[in-house]
């Protein structure tokens, strides 16, 4: 992260020096500062970034060199306020995104909201459920 946004760099090796390629990536959604993110590469080689933007979760398609956003983007609207720590994966041609509100080590615990899309990485997404909660609605960390 750099100045409330994202930057990219490259290196010839995992132990080598990095060269900054893009100091401030313009994202498809800007609802305040950017935070946690996760990179996802689809079977066709296209890459996506799922990220926190002002407490909401968004997905952007990356350029072919993976160094910038194409600004093709979708935004998922959280069920429980501020969302962070997003993950994206694909299983049986269905795309999934999960994120939680707050932090999992905070006194009020956390949850794990899940969305799915059959259309592709940019959605549209349908909210599935809070997979981190017990049937009584408390989160796993709250009940321990």
């Amino acid at each position: 992260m750099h100045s409330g946004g994202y930057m990219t760099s490259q290196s010839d090796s995992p132990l080598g020096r990095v060269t900054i390629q893009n100091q401030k990536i313009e994202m498809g959604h800007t609802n305040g500062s950017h935070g946690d993110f996760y990179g996802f590469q689809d079977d066709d080689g296209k890459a996506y970034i799922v990220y926190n933007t002002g407490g909401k979760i968004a997905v952007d398609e990356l350029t072919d060199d993976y160094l910038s956003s194409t600004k093709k983007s979708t935004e998922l609207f959280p069920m429980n306020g501020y969302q962070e720590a997003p993950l994206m994966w694909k299983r049986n041609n269905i795309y999934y995104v999960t994120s939680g509100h707050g932090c999992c080590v905070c006194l009020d615990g956390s949850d794990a909201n899940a969305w799915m899309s059959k259309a592709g990485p940019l959605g549209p997404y349908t909210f599935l459920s809070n997979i981190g909660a017990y049937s009584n609605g408390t989160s796993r960390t709250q009940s321990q």
Side-chain angles (χ1 to χ4, degrees):
M1 242 170 62
H2 179 66
S3 301
Y6 301 113
M7 62 188 287
T8 55
S9 60
Q10 286 183 315
S11 176
D12 291 334
S13 78
L15 301 176
R17 295 181 64 102
V18 297
T19 304
I20 294 174
Q21 301 295 312
N22 188 343
Q23 286 199 18
K24 185 152 177 126
I25 299 173
E26 297 292 326
M27 304 304 288
H29 286 277
T30 306
N31 298 324
S33 66
H34 293 95
D36 299 341
F37 67 94
Y38 184 80
F40 172 79
Q41 183 183 34
D42 205 353
D43 300 332
D44 62 3
K46 286 199 178 284
Y48 300 84
I49 182 173
V50 55
Y51 59 100
N52 168 303
T53 175
K56 296 181 179 180
I57 300 297
V59 179
D60 280 22
E61 180 182 276
L62 297 178
T63 55
D64 289 342
D65 61 7
Y66 299 5
L67 297 176
S68 298
S69 169
T70 64
K71 294 191 180 178
K72 292 179 186 172
S73 186
T74 192
E75 187 174 65
L76 309 174
F77 296 95
M79 307 307 283
N80 295 326
Y82 195 89
Q83 297 288 299
E84 62 183 10
L87 290 172
M88 174 185 257
W89 71 94
K90 179 180 177 181
R91 182 173 186 261
N92 297 328
N93 292 317
I94 299 174
Y95 297 85
Y96 296 91
V97 171
T98 59
S99 68
H101 86 280
C103 74
C104 62
V105 295
C106 297
L107 291 177
D108 63 346
S110 189
D111 56 9
N113 292 313
W115 293 266
M116 56 135 334
S117 172
K118 292 182 179 179
L122 294 177
Y125 281 85
T126 302
F127 179 72
L128 293 174
S129 69
N130 178 351
I131 61 174
Y134 290 114
S135 60
N136 68 2
T138 62
S139 71
R140 296 188 194 288
T141 55
Q142 289 171 321
S143 61
Q144 293 175 349

